[in-house]
Each structure stands twice: as structure tokens, then as C-alpha cells.
Amino acid sequence: MYAQMVKSTGKGVASREDMTPEDRQFQDRIDAGEKIEPKDYMPDGYRKNLIRQIGQHAHSEIVGQLPEGNWITRAPTLERKANLLAKVQDEAGHGLYLYCAAETLGVSRDEMFEMLHDGRMKYSSIFNYPTLTWADMGAVGWLVDGAAIMNQVPLQRTSYGPYARAMVRICKEESFHQRQGYHIMIKMAREGSADQKRMAQDALNRFWYPSLMMFGPSDKDSVHSAQSMAWKIKMNTNDELRQKFVDETVPQAEYLGLTVPDEHLSWNAETGHYDFSEPDWSEFSDVISGNGPCNVDRLNARKTAWDDGAWVRDAMMAHADKKAQRRMAAE
Amino acid sequence: MTPLFEFLLRQGDNALVLGHRTSEWCGVAPALEEDIALANTALDLIGQTQLWLGYAAEVEGAGRSANDLAYLRDVYDFRNVLMLEVPNADFGRTLMRQFLFDAFQVPWLTALQGSDDQQVADIAAKSLKEAQYHLDRSSETVIMLGDGTDESHARMKAALDYLFPYAGEMFADDAIDTAIRESGVAPLPSTVRTQWNETLRRVMNEAYLTIPDTTFNHSGGRTGFRHTEYLGHMLATMQTLQRSYPGATW
Ligand SMILES: [Fe+2]
Ligand SMILES: [Fe+2]
Ligand SMILES: [Fe+2]
């Protein structure tokens, strides 16, 4: 998922007695499955939490362009080049929908960029890993978009209207990305040469645990998550989603003839789920706090693009002003 | 190589090389909207490449595919004009180049729609819709940046000065063009120069940019005689997987 460890502003779920009458009414609307719209009353904490979560998601979409953008100029065929370009373009579009959704909560896109650039807002840990071979384009689509879908499908029912509607559009495209990635894996792991099989296995080895980390650490006892779930801006616990991801992905890896890099992975007939090893959570904390393989370079790439583009954005504004002035002068 | 094959390579390589350059912007454009628009342009051009090179491969009849032509030819077999292979530099040069090319493509593809060769006419008709859209966008952007701030104006002037000596190659007729005209496939490229000049004058006027006073033209791209040093680097990147793993399918 693209929103990891989003800290809620409250100290756990507020009890009904502690709520103001407005807050109680608000919670009733949510419990009744109603959508909250931008002009509706909402508690401060709800608004702040949503901004953080949607912002983190939006930033993940645009920083997420970089690891895949890394292969657009090296895509092996015209079809693959077009597909990858279209995919990365979709991700920019997802970023745009999400920034628009966040803007309805009173924070501008430029403000959010600023918060990304100065480290006040985060993006998903997964995009701090490098893409080293073409098989990574398969693995990213299959695993990363796959993991994103696990989280985003339930968010189509989230309580905030603009966010829910953005998710509906996004989810359609994400499942297409997932299939496209898996198709790259099929070509390489099932039908490919020895070199291609090796690349495919190597990609799975490197992306398996980072993909599991995308769901964030266990949050079954987290007070932050409990409040978010009461507000229906988080629909499932991290562990539920991670389990669902493993259960769906392991058979797909088997079909590819690839080995999931987990010696403890086994089917548990009693639970009806796979047992699996936890990722290295100390690595996760490193990546989240800025010390992943690509953190510095990814953020620098975004900042450089933003700074290099300043003259273009300034010129467009200046031109619009000039045009308006000329129109006024002509009237 | 037959004139028709050469002609098709010229169309396909223009689309491929510019499409590749445009795709280099992915994820790092000045604004999200520009990122999406550039990806869109690149996608259109890669799509056009598939059509032109697909037909070229068919005409050649040597069992090669569009992908073989894109990924397994070296520099001297490429037939794009030089203007399209020089680096993007900044966003200003990228959009100025796009404009100079679009302003050629629109009248050129319009003429190709009347080709006696039905496949050429069909590809041109499909590409023309895209080219028209590209021209609207690139003209509008060039105007905004030319008539924006002092800095943007200076950058657009530098872009135009740099690119202008490369633009003339688009209209440089040679023996292949003559043969193509005689077979009814296409008019001479020089015949669309008047329209190009008009578009150029109109847009540069609105952008407050002066058309450089030079008649010098670089050449060597569309004949393949002498490309720039930049093309080899582009191909080294673009072709790396096909060259490193011969015969693999992806
Ligand atoms: Fe996305
Ligand atoms: Fe994504
Ligand atoms: Fe995606």
C-alpha cells in the first residue's frame, strides 16, 4: 500500500461521550455508510489524517514514476516501450487525481510538493529500491501494483467522497498494470532463456520482502489505525492485507516456476492461509527514515525536476498575466 | 534498398527517434500536466513508428520485423533528420523542436493522405490527427514560453537559434524523393516548405521570437551519410537488451 504508518492526530478512537454533538453526527453518517463531501462538516483530525494519507499516496504515485522511468529508454521492444510509457503516464495521472482530492481538503498541490521536498511528507518505502534489470519491470507491476491493489480496492469504499472516487478510477488501471507486469514475468520466467529466468528469479528475490513491507508493520494494536478505521479511511489492518497478498501471490510465483525467497513459507491447512516470514523490520525503519538504497537519489531527482522546471511554470504564469492585461487594455 | 523502403524508414525513424527523446522526460517534467502530455506525445510517436517500420519491414521482404529495424540497425542505417536526435537539453528546446517538427508534419501528412500507396495514405491519416494535436500544443507552449519571463524568452531564443540550422534538412529533396514522387507515393518534401514558413512566422511572431537570419543547413540524417554523435548513444541505450541477449523474446 502507498500509505504506510500514517499517524492519526487523535489518541485512539474517541468515545461517543467525549464527542461534540457535531462529531457524533459525523460519526453516525460514517457508520451509516454515507460519503463525506468537501463542504460537509468534518472533525479537524479527520481532515488532517486524510491530507496525510492522500498526500502520501499521491507522492508515491509520482516518485513511483522514477524506478520504472529508469527503463523506458531501454525497453526491449516497441510494444514494451509503449506499454511502459502508458503505465508510467497512468501513475502521473493517479498522482494528479489524488492531489486534486487532497486539494478539496484545503491543501494545494504546491504546498504538498513542498512538504515532500523538505521531508515533512513521505512516500511509500517501495520506491526507494533500485530497478536493475528488465525483469524488475515485471516484478514491479506484478508485486508492487499487486500490493497497491490489495489496499486500494477496499479504499473505493472509503468515507471521503473525492478520495473514494479517485480510487475507483485508479483501481481499474492498477489491475491492468498488475497483469502487464505479470505478463513480462511469464515471458521471462516461463518462456524465456536461462538468462531471462535468472533475471526473473533475481527480481523476485529483491522485491519480495520490500513488497511485504509496503503494508507497514503490524498495526493490530495501533491506536492510530483504530481511529482511521472508525473513520473508514483505513479499511483493513496491515496484517490482513499482507496475508491476502501472500495468499494470492504465492501460487502466481509457483506458476512462473520461481521460488519465493522464504524457507519458512508453507501452506497452513488449518488456517487456510500461507505461513510466511516477516520482512526485516529494521530495514524498513531505515528506509522509512531516509536510509534506503535510493532515498536520497529519488528525492533529489524530484527536487531537481521541480527546480529545473521553475522557469517554465513562472513563464506560464507570466504569460497568463500578460494576456489578461492585454485583454483589459483592449476593452 | 528500394526508394519505398528508404522513404518508409525516413518516416519511421523520425517518429522513433523523436519518440525516444520525448520519453526521456518521463517523471521529471516541469509539472505533472506536462509529464502526462509529453508521455502522450511519446506514445503517439512510438505508435506511428510501429506503423511505418512495420510497413517498411513488409516492403523489404527480408523477414525482418518493425522491432528488428528499430533495435538491430546501427547509426548509419538510420534515416531520421538530425534535428530529432540532438539532446533534449531543457524543456524549451524540447518543445521548440517539437513545434518545428509538428509544423512540418501537419502539411506533410496531409499531403501523404493523397498517396497512391494505400498503406501510406492510411498511416498518414491516422498520424495526422495526432500531429495536429501535437502542433496545437507545441505552438501554444512555444508562445507561452517565448512571451513569458525574460529568462524563458532567452531560453526559447537560444533553442530556436540552436535548432534552426537543423530544420532545413526536413525539406532537402534528393534522388529518393524524386523517385518517390514519380511513383505517386509522396510529393517532394520541399513542397510543404511554404506552409511550414507560414506557421513558423505566425507562431514566432506571437512568441516575440526572431527567426534566425541564416541559410545554413545541417544534413546527413535522412540520407544516413553522417549522423550526429548523439545518435550512437541513444541507440546504445535503446538497443541494449536486444544486443545483449540476441534472439531473446520479451
Ligand atoms: Fe498508480
Ligand atoms: Fe502504482
Ligand atoms: Fe500502477
Side-chain angles (χ1 to χ4, degrees), chain A residues 235-252:
Chain A
M235 311 301 282
N236 307 82
T237 68
N238 295 349
D239 288 330
E240 280 166 12
L241 292 170
R242 186 169 15 252
Q243 183 70 56
K244 192 166 186 296
F245 174 75
V246 171
D247 289 348
E248 282 191 25
T249 308
V250 170
Q252 294 170 347

Side-chain angles (χ1 to χ4, degrees), chain A residues 11 26 30 50-51 68 77 95 112 176 254 265 285 309:
Chain A
K11 300 171 189 64
F26 175 81
I30 289 189
L50 262 180
I51 289 174
E68 290 181 288
T77 66
M112 280 185 282
F176 183 72
E254 277 165 10
L265 183 78
S285 327

Side-chain angles (χ1 to χ4, degrees), chain B residues 144-159:
Chain B
M144 280 195 285
L145 298 177
D147 180 31
T149 60
D150 289 348
E151 180 182 2
S152 73
H153 181 82
R155 284 177 181 264
M156 296 316 278
K157 180 186 181 310

Side-chain angles (χ1 to χ4, degrees), chain A residues 1-23:
Chain A
M1 82 170 72
Y2 289 167
Q4 295 159 319
M5 305 185 76
V6 176
K7 289 217 167 58
S8 84
T9 42
K11 300 171 189 64
V13 190
S15 67
R16 281 192 80 81
E17 301 84 78
D18 294 342
M19 287 182 191
T20 63
E22 292 103 317
D23 286 1

Side-chain angles (χ1 to χ4, degrees), chain A residues 2 57 60-61 64 68 87 91 94 127 144-145 148 152 170 174 177:
Chain A
Y2 289 167
H57 190 161
S60 299
E61 299 285 356
E68 290 181 288
K87 185 201 186 230
E91 305 301 4
H94 298 172
F127 301 116
V144 175
D145 288 83
Q152 291 171 192
I170 290 173
E174 297 296 9
H177 298 166

Side-chain angles (χ1 to χ4, degrees), chain A residues 76 78 80 109 196 302 313, chain B residues 27 30 33 67 148 242 249-250:
Chain A
L78 295 168
R80 290 292 182 205
R109 203 201 305 177
Q196 288 173 305
R302 284 305 317 165
R313 298 189 304 274
Chain B
E33 288 81 353
N67 280 322
Q242 291 287 352
T249 54
W250 305 89

Side-chain angles (χ1 to χ4, degrees), chain B residues 6 10 74-82 169 174 219-227 231:
Chain B
E6 284 272 332
R10 288 174 178 185
D74 209 337
V75 165
Y76 43 68
D77 284 330
F78 270 72
R79 295 292 183 264
N80 58 285
V81 295
L82 300 179
E169 191 188 6
D174 64 7
S219 64
R222 66 198 300 275
T223 61
F225 177 68
R226 187 161 56 215
H227 278 276
L231 183 61

Side-chain angles (χ1 to χ4, degrees), chain A residues 43-217:
Chain A
D44 226 30
Y46 177 85
R47 181 188 302 273
K48 281 192 185 145
N49 247 26
L50 262 180
I51 289 174
R52 278 188 208 155
Q53 184 173 328
I54 299 174
Q56 197 177 113
H57 190 161
H59 297 326
S60 299
E61 299 285 356
I62 61 157
V63 178
Q65 287 184 274
L66 299 172
E68 290 181 288
N70 182 38
W71 278 91
I72 285 179
T73 55
R74 291 179 289 170
T77 66
L78 295 168
E79 295 74 26
R80 290 292 182 205
K81 194 183 186 72
N83 289 345
L84 187 58
L85 253 171
K87 185 201 186 230
V88 180
Q89 184 193 31
D90 285 346
E91 305 301 4
H94 298 172
L96 203 54
Y97 304 155
L98 288 161
Y99 287 120
C100 290
E103 279 180 336
T104 65
L105 293 161
V107 56
S108 75
R109 203 201 305 177
D110 284 8
E111 284 173 302
M112 280 185 282
F113 278 151
E114 209 178 292
M115 290 192 269
L116 169 68
H117 295 161
D118 68 19
R120 274 178 292 159
M121 280 181 119
K122 304 249 179 262
Y123 56 89
S124 176
S125 58
I126 192 70
F127 301 116
N128 290 311
Y129 290 87
T131 54
L132 303 179
T133 73
W134 177 251
D136 290 13
M137 294 305 98
V140 167
W142 171 35
L143 301 173
V144 175
D145 288 83
I149 291 167
M150 295 291 152
N151 171 245
Q152 291 171 192
V153 164
L155 281 176
Q156 294 178 101
R157 293 178 286 111
T158 190
S159 60
Y160 189 55
Y163 191 24
R165 290 189 288 273
M167 277 307 148
V168 172
R169 298 168 75 180
I170 290 173
C171 281
K172 276 195 205 121
E173 292 176 347
E174 297 296 9
S175 50
F176 183 72
H177 298 166
Q178 200 265 352
R179 283 200 298 278
Q180 194 172 289
Y182 195 61
H183 188 252
I184 291 177
M185 293 309 272
I186 289 175
K187 286 301 267 185
M188 295 182 76
R190 270 183 76 95
E191 301 166 10
S193 65
D195 282 327
Q196 288 173 305
K197 289 187 169 134
R198 191 177 155 209
M199 280 185 236
Q201 181 63 54
D202 171 66
L204 177 58
N205 292 348
R206 281 181 290 107
F207 277 99
W208 175 254
Y209 287 108
S211 300
L212 296 186
M213 291 177 200
M214 285 175 72
F215 300 94

